Amino acid sequence: MKHDDRYIWMDLIRGFSALLVCTTHLRAAMFINYSDIAASSILEQIFYFMTGFGHQAVMVFFVLSGFFVGGSILKNYNKFSFKQYFIARLSRLWMVLIPMLILTLIIDKIIGIYLPLLLDGEHLTNLNSGPTSDYSTSLKTFLGNVFFLQTIFTPVFGSNGPLWSLANEFWYYVIFPLLIIVIGRIEASILSRIIYGLILIVLFSIASVSILEGFLVWLMGVFVFFCYNKKLIKISSLFFTVSTLLFAAAMVDSKVHIINNVFGISSDLFIAITFSLFLIAIQNKSIPRKFYQEISAFARWLSDISFTMYLAHFPLIMLIYSFNYSEVQESLNMFSFAQYILCILVILGISHLLWWTFERNTPQVRGFLTRNLIKEN
């Protein structure tokens, strides 16, 4: 269902996916590892289970990115322009990325004074993530992250581990239009297709297995757009029920890996396939009029700040961990859970402030660049 050309359900999913990544990392920072609990209660089992899907949420991001970015290319292929495309993509990414790299540096300097061992990777077992032995805030690493070369030629910048996925995203943005041109969907000369084909061969040859697998996940979003656009799949109550159950099963299976062990399908790809079917199934699901305005406004807000929250949350969590939980992590109880909720609200508030300062100005920056870099015919 659309509202102002936005997909409300997708806005909700994108926003909650970013929040799920945040809550997963925050739980790891605040609470003891599940394996260290002698005899877990039902509430603890539910809490740890529900806050353990951060990586899976990133796969959801990839599918949604394929839908919106890949779909926009398919929708406008007859007037595709690399210059316009990269102005749109880079303005979107850099308006958030560059300020968040600076924020990461500032926070890491504070952590370096208060808890330098965290930046040396000494707390990795506590956090299940965060800085490792290849930690770097050098100029080379900064520029490598600005140009999306982290995990390829440089490590992620500073303590901001989630930046790994941004490199994947950017190179999917590059690969997909090249692929569409090579197969002839976008008009180009034979020479151009040969050149782009050679570039693709180089990119595929240097890409890691995880990046290539992630591209298959991303392409599932393109498949969803194609199904939306062509109405290829008939939506029924049965299809909705089955796709929902399959997606839920894929999320659970990502913890036990039965499908991977039996059929050889990776958990990430299984999530992407089932989530794509779920997206197709909900395209015509309406929101009750009684709650429409409130839900659509909340969905838009959470979706709007989701990218900023994704890039800002981890250094903020490292700061929270350094000052409050580095010596003794919490067990789950009412008081610690209240702390957890308070920290989430603080991160949401800071993310909103950062979004308001930087990301919300993206359309103006994009318009300025378009007017000054693209000559009118």
Side-chain angles (χ1 to χ4, degrees), residues 65-337:
S65 174
F67 177 90
F68 286 110
V69 178
S72 70
I73 294 173
L74 294 183
K75 185 178 180 179
N76 302 296
Y77 72 90
N78 57 341
K79 53 181 180 180
F80 179 79
S81 163
F82 267 118
K83 186 175 286 189
Q84 289 181 325
Y85 175 72
F86 279 111
I87 285 175
R89 298 275 59 82
L90 289 173
S91 61
R92 161 75 171 153
L93 295 171
W94 280 343
M95 279 296 292
V96 181
L97 173 61
I98 293 175
M100 294 311 105
L101 289 176
I102 296 171
L103 176 69
T104 300
L105 180 62
I106 293 170
I107 289 177
D108 283 8
K109 291 297 183 184
I110 297 171
I111 294 173
I113 295 171
Y114 188 78
L115 190 65
L117 290 178
L118 171 59
L119 303 182
D120 293 336
E122 297 292 327
H123 290 250
L124 192 60
T125 53
N126 283 356
L127 297 166
N128 297 320
S129 187
T132 61
S133 57
D134 66 350
Y135 173 89
S136 173
T137 53
S138 68
L139 178 60
K140 175 186 175 182
T141 303
F142 181 89
L143 293 176
N145 281 246
V146 167
F147 293 102
F148 312 102
L149 296 173
Q150 63 270 30
T151 73
I152 302 172
F153 294 118
T154 71
V156 297
F157 185 76
S159 63
N160 207 331
L163 287 172
W164 72 267
S165 65
L166 205 58
N168 290 41
E169 284 273 0
F170 176 77
W171 292 107
Y172 303 156
Y173 296 166
V174 174
I175 290 171
F176 186 68
L178 293 176
L179 194 60
I180 295 300
I181 291 173
V182 169
I183 66 177
R185 186 64 176 173
I186 295 175
E187 186 176 345
S189 66
I190 294 177
L191 179 60
S192 295
R193 289 196 182 120
I194 292 173
I195 293 172
Y196 293 147
L198 292 174
I199 293 173
L200 277 176
I201 291 171
V202 171
L203 291 177
F204 282 129
S205 67
I206 64 175
S208 65
V209 173
S210 62
I211 289 178
L212 295 178
E213 184 179 290
F215 185 52
L216 292 178
V217 172
W218 194 89
L219 286 175
M220 292 306 302
V222 180
F223 168 73
V224 174
F225 178 86
F226 192 74
C227 291
Y228 270 41
N229 198 40
K230 300 295 183 180
K231 295 181 172 55
L232 294 180
I233 299 178
K234 184 178 180 180
I235 309 303
S236 64
S237 298
L238 178 61
F239 181 79
F240 173 76
T241 302
V242 171
S243 63
T244 302
L245 290 175
L246 282 173
F247 179 46
M251 294 294 279
V252 173
D253 181 73
S254 67
K255 297 294 185 181
V256 295
H257 307 292
I258 295 174
I259 296 297
N260 178 250
N261 293 334
V262 175
F263 299 102
I265 300 175
S266 75
S267 297
D268 290 350
L269 191 56
F270 187 38
I271 287 172
I273 292 169
T274 56
F275 175 63
S276 298
L277 294 175
F278 175 72
L279 280 185
I280 294 169
I282 65 172
Q283 64 178 298
N284 293 321
K285 290 292 179 181
S286 60
I287 294 174
R289 289 287 137 191
K290 184 178 179 181
F291 307 107
Y292 182 85
Q293 188 172 357
E294 291 78 8
I295 291 176
S296 62
F298 175 75
R300 179 166 190 150
W301 171 75
L302 193 60
S303 176
D304 280 344
I305 70 167
S306 62
F307 184 37
T308 294
M309 178 167 57
Y310 182 78
L311 292 192
H313 80 276
F314 201 77
L316 294 172
I317 288 173
M318 291 297 94
L319 194 62
I320 292 170
Y321 172 81
S322 298
F323 282 95
N324 298 284
Y325 305 103
S326 60
E327 294 185 4
V328 179
Q329 290 179 293
E330 299 283 347
S331 296
L332 182 63
N333 53 55
M334 290 187 63
F335 180 67
S336 63
F337 184 71

